[in-house]
Amino acid sequence: MWLALKRMNRAEWLLLLGLFLLWNWGLFSVTSHNHPYLMGGDVLQLFAWKTVAFAALFLGLFAITRRIQPTLIGLSFFVILWLFGGALVSAVASGAYLQAAIYIVLIIGLRFVAGYVIKKYPEPAGLLVALYGAFLCCLQLPGVFAALTTQTVQEPLSGLEAGLSSEPSEPLPHIIYIMPDRYASNAVLRSQYDFSNEDFTSKLELFGFHIWDDQYSNYPKTFQSLASCLNSDYLDTALDSVDPSERSYSYITPLIKDFAAQRALQAQGYSYKHIGAWWEPTRENEWADESFKDVTLPFDEITSAYFQVTPLKLLIGRAQQRKTPCEIAEEKISFIRKQIQSETPQFILWHTLMTHAPYIYNDDGTCRGLDEERLFITHYDERKAEYIKHIGHFNAVIIDLIEAVMHDSDREVIFVIQSDEGPFPKELVRAVHGANQPPYNFWEASQDEKRQKHGVFNAIYLPSQSYEDTVDLRSPVNNFRLIFRELTGQDVPLLV
């Protein structure tokens, strides 16, 4: 093998290089188009796996053919299949059989053309493939570079765990912290959706919850708001080192994964159970003692996005068909009910997208299938109507969960329902989903748009029912500070 490699001429090395670049072009393209949402380490890990697969394919073909030129011809077929296989799979899955037949003819035709050219004109073939692969990959380099060089915030916030007593009172209550994405405040629901949430909040009050009618998130985006609330601090100091023009949210992901409240609670003896969403920063958490496993999300964000343009798209489709989104939501509820029966104190964090598009329920509460109706709704009035219905679905699920938890748990329970941001204003929906629309500028948003985007639902249940200092709080950033006051009896300072 090594002797054959040493004997490879310039044309063969150029062809091998070109095939390697074409093999990775799809990854570079996906990375470039999604770089604001990706972690550089995830991209490099997938690139490493693809490099290993390419090398294994080359070695395997050489072991069969025992000659370099047939090996390169066979390798070119696999690269062609990899480039066009995703489109072929999509055509077959959608029933576009004529289109699928065209792709099959194209793949087979390119295979024979490639074989003929490589045999007949090895020197120009190697140079052409290398140049073409380099050209395609160079087009994606700015986005790839942005993904790999994104700054990350490593400095922990608040230091909340440092000032707490290491000998809390026993027995510690379970903590269930539910974060429904884009659930608006009661005030916003009344003023901008003509919807009264009184039925839900009155039931919460009967359980002993304190509900803030008109609270606001300190930041307009999920990644900023989660980082702030989970660390019970503002982000000013953490963002000092970040370029203000930074578009990626991956720079702040470390503050969502390894956050101050989690460290403090684990130091107090809590077992942290994490229930995430399909959004990558909360999908799983390696710092948790246990993460809920969603069988419909077997891969991370970059791998899933990349597989969508390859023949391995079939794996994504099969995973999604294993369970409906509603079944996954029910499994998460069951997971919570199981955890609160533990003999040790549990901290359960659930970031849920039940109130976030794509909407998964029918009007009667049954689950929609994986069809067009579940896709993101772009017509604003239809979106508003569906959003309110899903607020109702979520409310019903949570009331049932609270009743079950209060009945099943042998410990007291601290219960929080806090959204991270409000729903999209009309102009933001148009900017995100409309064609040829300029980016939405949060700095130029109207007051009503700011209220809609920042107005968040927040309700907390403390076993002591000590809510005297909470009435005037305007932001959920203090939620964990209230929780640690309850746990330790210490006068944990509240942020203004």
Side-chain angles (χ1 to χ4, degrees), residues 234-283:
Y234 301 123
L235 301 179
D236 303 50
T237 56
L239 300 182
D240 281 346
S241 60
V242 178
D243 188 334
S245 64
E246 177 60 67
R247 293 178 55 212
S248 171
Y249 65 51
S250 59
Y251 69 87
I252 213 166
T253 297
L255 295 181
I256 298 173
K257 298 278 193 182
D258 181 20
F259 54 95
Q262 151 251 318
R263 293 193 300 272
L265 289 169
Q266 287 176 320
Q268 300 285 307
Y270 275 88
S271 177
Y272 168 30
K273 303 302 169 62
H274 179 84
I275 309 175
W278 47 256
W279 187 59
E280 186 62 25
T282 65
R283 188 178 63 89

Side-chain angles (χ1 to χ4, degrees), residues 300-313:
D300 60 30
E301 192 165 20
I302 176 62
T303 305
S304 296
Y306 175 61
F307 279 7
Q308 291 289 352
V309 298
T310 75
L312 295 180
K313 183 177 182 178

Side-chain angles (χ1 to χ4, degrees), residues 48-64:
W49 278 112
K50 289 205 74 222
T51 301
V52 170
F54 184 85
L57 191 57
F58 176 81
L59 294 174
L61 289 171
F62 182 82
I64 296 171

Side-chain angles (χ1 to χ4, degrees), residues 18-78:
L19 291 174
F20 179 74
L21 292 174
L22 291 174
W23 174 258
N24 285 293
W25 170 75
L27 173 58
F28 292 165
S29 178
V30 167
T31 301
S32 178
H33 286 87
N34 296 278
H35 70 83
Y37 319 112
L38 303 177
M39 297 288 288
D42 294 337
V43 176
L44 290 174
Q45 184 179 35
L46 183 54
F47 177 75
W49 278 112
K50 289 205 74 222
T51 301
V52 170
F54 184 85
L57 191 57
F58 176 81
L59 294 174
L61 289 171
F62 182 82
I64 296 171
T65 65
R66 309 304 297 175
R67 290 186 296 135
I68 290 296
Q69 190 178 75
T71 296
L72 293 175
I73 292 174
L75 192 60
S76 68
F77 170 71
F78 280 99

